Amino acid sequence: MLTPVAYGLAIVLSLFIVLIGARFLLVPRAAAAGYGVPAAEGTGDPAYLTIKGLRDLTYGLVGLALIAFTSADAVAWFMLVVALAPLGDTLIVLRHGGSRATAFGIHFATAVVVLLDAALLFAL
């Protein structure tokens, strides 16, 4: 029973981060606003938004590849390490004037879910 839940959550999380990465690549300003720190018009922000999009897309694809081709332990270690991204995102949003609701309700909550999935995968 635990296996489908652990892997299902890992797949959903990986697909979700692929979609977030794609959104940052396709509509960067809207994605930045949803992230919690809007990008200013006429600055160098678009390059950094593209970098974030590529980072997220890559993390999601690596997660899917690990799920498809490796063991539960490898996926669990990946989830454990990748949880640093939403934890860092929490701090970035707080440090740059974003709302606490976005920082904790989106980014910190995501980190908790990713860490929970890592624990489930380690338990297999």
Side-chain angles (χ1 to χ4, degrees), residues 3 6-7 13 18-20 25 33 47 50-51 57 69 72 94 97 106 110 113 115 123-124:
T3 301
Y7 274 106
L13 288 168
V18 165
L19 292 174
I20 290 171
L25 292 173
T50 302
I51 291 166
L57 182 68
F69 301 111
L94 291 172
I106 296 173
T110 299
V113 173
L115 290 171
L124 296 181

Side-chain angles (χ1 to χ4, degrees), residues 112-123:
V112 169
V113 173
V114 172
L115 290 171
L116 173 66
D117 190 44
L120 291 172
L121 288 159
F122 277 126

